Amino acid sequence: MNTQTNPAPQFYLTAPAACPYLPHEMERKVFTHLVGERAPELNDLLTQGGFRRSQNIAYRPACETCRACVSVRILVDQFKPSRSMRRVLAANADVTGHEYPAEPSSEQYSLFRHYLDHRHQKGGMSDMSILDYAMMVEDTHVNTRVIEYRLRAEGSGIEERPSGELVAVALTDRMADGLSMVYSFFDTDRERRSLGTFMILDHVRRAKAMGLPHVYLGYWVKGSRKMDYKTKFLPQEHLMSRGWERYDGESSD
């Protein structure tokens, strides 16, 4: 009889590096590989424990002097859009979202490149090539999907791949207890549409339709202005030292 068990995942620690969110802070990460048949199950457990996925790596902050990064997830069944969020939904009534396997395209990369050039010129992803982008999308051993958001083309009907203009893309993992938004990007020239907010609202709708209780948004960093938007989707839970705790922050309305 074969009594051999699957090996436990091995965890590693990165060297200190400058924090991309808070000045004068240094970051370290603990990470492991997500490969093989157990990858989906392991991804679920690690995400629930505060990890994030990038390609076939799961990581979380392990900084020595800072605990500013807090994992955030929206409570789908209790979520109520604010007035400003309802305006975003109305402004994007002509946008349709379609879900596909995790396969890249040159059209996606063109929008991704435009997004980086306008929003993240000095970020760690700023020099990503089309091959790097393809790896970001394809290198996954879990249930990952690409959701393309397009303007509804005039006169278009039911098509396998709609032909309207691509305005936003989300790379999303489906887990046992929710949807995890791994990465998303959008047309920065359409600022009035608030497409980033719209994609989160659409993920809440999708999760609810699937009977999934959470939408995972990654890390919120208090003191980082570019992360403030994550705490507007209420109610939500934050992963603290004692586990997931409900957060009912003040609405911006």
Side-chain angles (χ1 to χ4, degrees):
M1 182 174 67
N2 184 2
T3 58
Q4 184 176 0
T5 59
N6 290 326
Q10 300 295 307
F11 291 87
Y12 308 90
L13 190 64
T14 65
C19 176
Y21 303 113
L22 299 176
H24 314 302
E25 292 287 350
M26 300 295 289
E27 72 165 1
R28 300 189 77 176
K29 296 175 182 176
V30 60
F31 69 94
T32 190
H33 296 278
L34 291 170
V35 294
E37 295 181 356
R38 293 186 60 204
E41 175 188 358
L42 182 59
N43 186 49
D44 281 12
L45 291 172
L46 292 178
T47 302
Q48 293 160 9
F51 280 71
R52 292 289 287 166
R53 185 182 70 81
S54 176
Q55 296 177 228
N56 65 359
I57 296 291
Y59 68 91
R60 68 168 296 171
C63 307
E64 296 176 359
T65 60
C66 180
R67 296 292 182 270
C69 291
V70 176
S71 293
V72 173
R73 66 186 187 188
I74 302 170
L75 295 171
V76 168
D77 290 336
Q78 300 175 51
F79 173 76
K80 293 286 191 298
S82 64
R83 289 194 299 271
S84 61
M85 290 174 186
R86 292 195 293 271
R87 289 194 291 269
V88 170
L89 290 171
N92 291 285
D94 59 341
V95 175
T96 60
H98 298 270
E99 186 176 314
Y100 304 102
E103 298 173 355
S105 70
S106 57
E107 186 183 24
Q108 292 169 18
Y109 178 72
S110 179
L111 182 62
F112 176 70
R113 188 71 262 165
H114 176 81
Y115 175 78
L116 291 182
D117 291 343
H118 287 78
R119 287 292 182 93
H120 300 286
Q121 293 179 348
K122 298 180 181 179
M125 304 172 73
S126 60
D127 59 351
M128 285 180 64
S129 68
I130 192 168
L131 293 178
D132 296 325
Y133 174 76
M135 287 294 291
M136 183 179 80
V137 175
E138 291 179 329
D139 193 3
T140 174
H141 289 247
V142 302
N143 187 359
T144 304
R145 308 290 285 180
V146 168
I147 304 173
E148 293 184 349
Y149 295 89
R150 296 178 181 274
L151 296 181
R152 188 179 292 108
E154 186 175 347
S156 63
I158 299 175
E159 306 168 73
E160 182 177 344
R161 199 108 183 177
S163 57
E165 182 181 353
L166 184 68
V167 294
V169 175
L171 186 65
T172 302
D173 288 346
R174 179 172 180 177
M175 307 186 310
D177 74 328
L179 299 178
S180 177
M181 298 185 70
V182 176
Y183 195 78
S184 60
F185 53 94
F186 52 86
D187 185 351
T188 57
D189 293 337
R190 301 179 184 274
E191 186 174 352
R192 291 185 178 181
R193 286 183 174 269
S194 299
L195 287 164
T197 295
F198 174 71
M199 282 191 283
I200 295 175
L201 294 172
D202 183 66
H203 275 68
V204 172
R205 179 191 65 79
R206 289 172 182 271
K208 191 167 188 176
M210 295 175 185
L212 300 174
H214 305 118
V215 171
Y216 288 83
L217 297 182
Y219 300 119
W220 167 60
V221 181
K222 188 174 183 178
S224 174
R225 291 184 61 188
K226 60 184 177 181
M227 291 288 191
D228 284 347
Y229 72 93
K230 294 187 179 183
T231 57
K232 295 180 181 180
F233 297 85
L234 302 170
Q236 60 185 226
E237 290 182 327
H238 292 181
L239 184 57
M240 311 304 288
S241 59
R242 294 175 294 182
W244 289 98
E245 298 182 2
R246 185 183 174 100
Y247 175 83
D248 290 288
E250 293 295 326
S251 172
S252 61
D253 284 353

